[in-house]
């Protein structure tokens, strides 16, 4: 009987299942999209190109690893380093001496500034020539010695250069004039310059260290077996505390693992994909379940008369529950399966956006597998079954006569259990808010969506109470005559049908809360960062580069320009620190020049100590005050962290400052970080004029610095740009906006899903009012009055949902904004007003369209419908 009833309901009343089907479909799409990104993050790999002909590659572990004690178990915690981890160049000789090794070539790469005759080059050590394969790699001339270079033949031909010619090259470690000693066959890596190995190490800015070592096995030696032997031989070469080239440990890779050595950013990309697919995906899954449960509960509640009639004709509670379960089995798998298609499309679009913005290396393939699909379909099915059983519990358990009576009128208030659960959800939200208020930075932000979910669940459970209060307060102007007859009808209807109003208010509150929280966290951080940058940059001139960066000597040369009082170079890199048993990343600023003059170009808001003490030694650091408080450090203490390549260090804290959000959480002498940065070029040089100096004259002299960096008799190399403080702020804003794209997409995904749910729920609610609309028409209400009533109800729903969602978002944002930015939430009108207008338009459209369909029916015919 149950199966037959279920099939009949689906076949002969498909419209009643449309809302449920849509909710399940889009729920499966969101889960599938996030699950696909999570799986891609776990399995991401890049096929080797440069190391395709090197069966075994030895490199440094790209992760910082600690062991954390959790209860009686040890837990490994890892975090990718911000830059490339490197190994000791001398390790190549040790590897070459191992049995089965035919050759071990150290390989390093660094950018060389473009010159008047050559494009931008990749500098490498001559020992790396031939790693990419091929024979007779040196097609003309001889190997380079000190002061010499080998160019690839294509670049030399395009520049009309031949062996014996000289050219000036600028690299991170310095600039000089080099004689071309030979030409090499193209290696498939673009324009390349090969230097003597010792010279290459100095020019790279990382003397004695290389990116990787390419190993060729002897003939007949299996690559995997050789890799196993090398792991055994190198196991104790360098640990986290060891000096030298492999502070994070050594790895020996084969197969596609070689691609991760070529692309050191792959580790951070995997972390990003796992964060999006895992952390955000978990929240999206909870939201999808919440939406599905709410929609199915609404759909079953609208069929109360049907279930009451079934009880009256002899159906047992078990048969009704089995009918609902069978309906779920008929609808959920199909909706979930169809939702996989837009889910994969969402993942593809999102993934391509990350690749185009450089967050994921090209060559990584989106991994669409069966596991996310199974999870999406199973989640929707389980949610549908659970929602159906819960919603049918009360109508199926009532006595037949009682069921018919209760189905004829709407329940006035929520049950005791539902009320208690709603109060528990409010308490949970309050507790999480208090916890977030006592946290800082990333920890506070991690509580955001938990707070939102608690309060949304509370609204759903206490909906009748919330809707009655909202209708009573917001309906006062309508009952006073502000909306005429239609407005008065809307206010009275809203109070009399609080449960129905709840179903419409909750999704609007969800849109407002989710979008408001995620977008305004981002806008708050952007605003606070922009304010700190605008207030902190006091330099008169900002030098930048059209190439990969500025050579280390640029700040020193700028300081020698007449009219310049101070010139400070900024080298940007990263670090990893330990806090509360977790590893976290921080931005690092390496400063060159006289630290005592740093306040002349940067006002960091020093809270304690003195930035001038950075000049004492390379063993010093200034900390952002928020980070110092978090770690419990003060001036004079020793701060331990890992630098950009994973090298562990301890520095003496000499100052704390307030504006770390705009400039970085750690400031160190450039000499302390240059050898550990990815590329040892300065990103900017900040220049302050001497008192009374002519700013225009100083700017003109600074613009000639590219010529000054060349050797005597050589033309200018590279390209230096000169701007002012406003230009620096504008550049910073553009970089920050591009980095916030992923967060905007997260807000868009959740907000769009919630908006679809809101529209779906409103349509379902309006279509269920055919009897009510028909009765109004029979009592004399005109079509215009009914449409007006619907519009006022839609506006009331939008206002209530926006107020509740905004309140939830604000409660969530206050502690998080203080933890992340040390400021109150910043709500830009350009974001808030369109969000509010979109919610209002959504309510009006989702109400007006089905209302017009209802008004096309004849009142007598409509009043007779079940």
């Amino acid at each position: 009987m149950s199966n037959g009833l279920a099939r009949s309901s689906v076949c002969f009343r498909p419209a009643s299942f449309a809302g449920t089907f849509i909710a399940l479909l889009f729920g499966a799409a969101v889960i599938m999209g996030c699950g696909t990104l999570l799986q891609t993050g776990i399995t991401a790999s890049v096929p080797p190109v440069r190391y395709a002909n090197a069966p075994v590659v030895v490199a440094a572990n790209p992760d910082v690893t600690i062991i954390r004690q959790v209860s009686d178990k040890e837990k490994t915690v890892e975090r990718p380093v911000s830059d490339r981890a490197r190994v000791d160049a001398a390790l190549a000789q040790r590897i070459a001496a191992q049995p089965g090794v035919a050759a071990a070539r150290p390989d390093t790469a660094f950018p060389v500034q473009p010159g008047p005759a050559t494009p931008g080059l990749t500098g490498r050590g001559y020992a790396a020539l031939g790693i990419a394969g091929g024979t007779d790699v040196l097609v003309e001339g001889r190997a380079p010695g000190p002061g010499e270079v080998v160019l690839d033949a294509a670049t030399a031909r395009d520049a009309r250069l031949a062996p014996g010619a000289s050219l000036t090259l600028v690299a991170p470690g310095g600039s000089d004039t080099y004689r071309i000693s030979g030409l090499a066959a193209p290696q498939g890596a673009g324009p390349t310059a090969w230097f003597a190995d010792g010279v290459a190490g100095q020019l790279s800015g990382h003397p004695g260290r290389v990116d990787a070592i390419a190993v060729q096995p002897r003939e007949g030696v299996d690559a995997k077996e050789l890799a196993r032997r090398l792991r055994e031989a190198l196991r104790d070469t360098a640990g986290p505390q060891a000096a030298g080239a492999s502070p994070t440990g050594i790895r020996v890779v084969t197969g596609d693992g070689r691609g991760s050595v070529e692309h050191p950013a792959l580790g951070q990309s995997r972390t990003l994909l796992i964060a999006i697919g895992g952390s955000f995906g978990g929240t999206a899954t909870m939201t999808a379940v919440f939406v599905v449960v709410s929609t199915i509960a609404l759909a079953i509640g609208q069929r109360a008369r049907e279930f009451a009639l079934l009880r009256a004709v002899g159906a047992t509670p078990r048969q009704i529950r089995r009918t609902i379960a069978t309906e779920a089995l008929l609808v959920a798998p199909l909706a979930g399966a169809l939702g996989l298609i837009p889910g994969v499309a969402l993942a593809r679009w999102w993934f391509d956006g990350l690749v185009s913005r450089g967050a994921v290396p090209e060559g990584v393939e989106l991994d669409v597998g069966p596991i996310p699909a199974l999870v999406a379909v199973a989640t929707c099915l389980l949610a549908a079954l659970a929602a159906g059983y819960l919603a049918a519990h009360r109508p199926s358990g009532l006595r037949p006569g009682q069921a018919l009576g209760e189905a004829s009128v709407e329940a006035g208030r929520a049950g005791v259990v539902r009320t208690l659960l709603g109060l528990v959800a409010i308490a949970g939200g309050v507790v999480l808010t208090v916890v977030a208020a006592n946290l800082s930075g990333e920890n506070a932000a991690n509580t955001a969506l938990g707070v939102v979910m608690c309060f949304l669940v509370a609204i759903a459970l206490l909906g009748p109470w919330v809707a009655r209060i909202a209708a009573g307060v917001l309906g006062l102007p309508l009952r006073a005559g502000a909306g005429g007859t239609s407005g008065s009808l809307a206010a009275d209807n809203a109070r009399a049908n609080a449960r129905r109003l709840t179903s419409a208010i909750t999704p609007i509150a969800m849109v407002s809360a989710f979008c408001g929280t995620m977008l305004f966290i981002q806008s708050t951080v952007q605003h606070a960062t922009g304010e700190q940058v605008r207030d902190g940059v006091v330099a008169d001139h900002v030098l930048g580069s059209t190439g990969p960066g500025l050579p280390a000597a640029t700040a020193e040369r700028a300081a020698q320009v007449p009219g310049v009082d101070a010139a400070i170079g900024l080298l940007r890199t990263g670090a990893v620190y330990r806090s509360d048993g977790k590893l976290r990343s921080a931005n690092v600023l390496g400063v060159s020049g006289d630290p005592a003059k740093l306040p002349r170009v940067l006002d960091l808001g020093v809270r304690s100590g003195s930035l001038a003490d950075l000049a004492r030694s390379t063993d010093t650091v200034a900390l952002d005050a928020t980070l110092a408080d978090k770690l419990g450090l003060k001036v004079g203490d020793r701060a331990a962290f890992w630098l950009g390549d994973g090298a562990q260090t301890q520095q003496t804290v000499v100052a704390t400052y307030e504006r770390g959000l705009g400039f970085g959480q750690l400031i160190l002498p450039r000499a302390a970080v240059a050898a550990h940065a990815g590329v040892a070029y300065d990103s900017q040089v900040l220049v302050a004029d001497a008192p009374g100096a002519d700013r225009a004259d100083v700017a003109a002299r600074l613009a000639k610095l590219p010529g000054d960096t060349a050797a005597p008799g050589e033309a200018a190399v590279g390209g230096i740009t000169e701007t002012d403080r406003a230009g620096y702020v504008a550049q910073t804003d553009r970089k920050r906006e591009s980095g916030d794209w992923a967060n905007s997409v997260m807000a868009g995904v959740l907000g769009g899903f919630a908006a679809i749910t809101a529209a779906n729920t409103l349509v379902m609610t309006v279509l269920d009012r055919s009897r009510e609309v028909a009765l109004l028409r029979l009592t004399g209400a005109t079509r215009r009055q009914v449409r007006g009533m619907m519009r006022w109800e839609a506006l009331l729903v939008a206002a209530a949902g926006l107020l509740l969602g905004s309140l939830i978002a604000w409660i969530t944002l206050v502690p998080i904004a203080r933890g992340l930015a040390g400021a109150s939430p910043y709500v830009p009108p350009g974001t808030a007003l369109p969000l509010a207008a979109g919610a209002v338009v959504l309510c009006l459209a989702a109400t007006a369209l089905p209302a017009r369909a209802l008004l096309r029916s004849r009142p007598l015919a409509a009043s007779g419908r079940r």
Side-chain angles (χ1 to χ4, degrees), residues 476-484 487 792:
L476 284 175
L478 298 180
R479 284 191 292 275
W792 281 114

Side-chain angles (χ1 to χ4, degrees), residues 563-600:
V564 170
D565 179 56
I568 302 294
L570 304 181
L571 172 63
R572 300 183 185 275
T573 180
V576 174
Y577 64 93
R578 182 173 182 169
S579 175
D580 301 325
K582 299 180 180 179
L583 293 174
R584 304 192 182 280
S585 298
N587 294 323
V588 176
L589 210 59
V591 296
S592 61
D594 184 2
K597 293 186 176 181
L598 187 57
R600 290 281 290 114

Side-chain angles (χ1 to χ4, degrees), residues 218 224 338 398 501 717-718:
R218 294 184 183 276
K224 292 185 178 179
L338 292 178
L398 295 174
L501 196 65
V717 294

Side-chain angles (χ1 to χ4, degrees), residues 402-701:
Q402 186 182 6
L404 286 171
E406 290 206 1
S408 61
V409 295
E410 181 177 300
R413 55 188 177 184
V416 176
V417 175
R418 183 172 176 174
T419 301
L420 290 175
L421 291 176
L423 294 175
V424 170
I426 290 179
V430 172
V431 169
L432 284 177
T433 303
V434 173
V435 169
N438 295 320
L439 298 175
S440 61
E442 188 177 337
N443 289 331
N446 288 337
T447 66
L449 295 178
V451 175
V452 172
M453 287 301 298
C454 282
F455 284 121
L456 285 177
V457 170
I459 290 176
L461 292 172
L462 300 176
W465 298 101
V466 173
R468 188 175 293 276
I469 294 172
V473 174
L474 298 177
L476 284 175
L478 298 180
R479 284 191 292 275
T485 303
S486 298
S488 179
L489 279 173
D492 293 338
N493 245 325
R495 291 194 67 185
N497 298 282
R499 282 182 178 270
R500 183 183 65 206
L501 196 65
T502 301
S503 301
I505 289 176
T506 302
I508 299 299
M510 184 186 301
V511 174
S512 307
F514 275 135
C515 289
T517 299
M518 299 193 73
L519 290 176
F520 298 144
I521 284 178
Q522 179 176 308
S523 66
T524 299
V525 174
Q526 286 180 346
H527 181 71
T529 302
E531 288 293 315
Q532 290 189 11
V533 171
R534 279 184 283 274
D535 295 341
V537 177
V538 295
D540 298 300
H541 311 275
V542 179
L543 303 184
S545 172
T546 58
L550 297 170
T554 305
E556 181 180 353
R557 293 178 181 274
Q560 298 171 358
V561 171
V564 170
D565 179 56
I568 302 294
L570 304 181
L571 172 63
R572 300 183 185 275
T573 180
V576 174
Y577 64 93
R578 182 173 182 169
S579 175
D580 301 325
K582 299 180 180 179
L583 293 174
R584 304 192 182 280
S585 298
N587 294 323
V588 176
L589 210 59
V591 296
S592 61
D594 184 2
K597 293 186 176 181
L598 187 57
R600 290 281 290 114
V601 295
L602 280 182
D603 180 7
L604 295 173
V606 175
R607 190 173 74 174
S608 62
S610 173
L611 295 173
D613 290 336
L614 289 170
R616 290 194 326 222
S617 72
T618 59
D619 192 27
T620 54
V621 64
L623 291 181
D624 170 49
T626 302
L627 179 59
D629 292 341
K630 181 179 181 179
L631 299 178
L633 297 173
K634 60 183 183 299
V635 173
D637 291 341
R638 298 282 285 178
F641 48 90
W642 291 265
L643 295 172
D645 63 349
Q648 194 170 16
T649 185
Q650 286 192 344
Q651 307 285 116
T652 300
V653 180
V654 297
T656 61
Y657 53 92
E658 302 288 348
R659 295 190 173 121
L661 192 63
F663 299 99
Q665 294 99 317
L666 294 91
I667 296 180
L668 294 95
R670 189 186 194 279
V673 298
H676 306 283
V679 178
Y681 280 127
D682 288 345
S683 57
Q684 288 102 12
V685 171
L686 305 183
V687 180
D689 292 342
D694 187 318
R695 177 175 295 187
D697 179 64
V698 173
R701 292 177 182 271

Side-chain angles (χ1 to χ4, degrees), residues 15-16 18-20 294-302 305 410 493-494 497-508 756-773 789-790 793-794 797 843 846-851 854:
S16 65
T20 299
S294 300
T295 305
I296 293 177
L298 173 63
I300 291 177
Q302 292 176 342
R305 293 185 182 91
E410 181 177 300
N493 245 325
N497 298 282
R499 282 182 178 270
R500 183 183 65 206
L501 196 65
T502 301
S503 301
I505 289 176
T506 302
I508 299 299
I756 292 171
T757 302
N760 183 38
T761 303
L762 287 167
V763 170
M764 292 175 63
T765 303
V766 173
L767 290 177
D768 190 52
R769 300 173 65 181
S770 58
R771 294 164 63 92
E772 174 190 334
V773 170
M789 178 192 73
M790 293 287 191
E793 283 189 17
V797 167
C843 288
T847 301
L849 295 177
L854 288 181

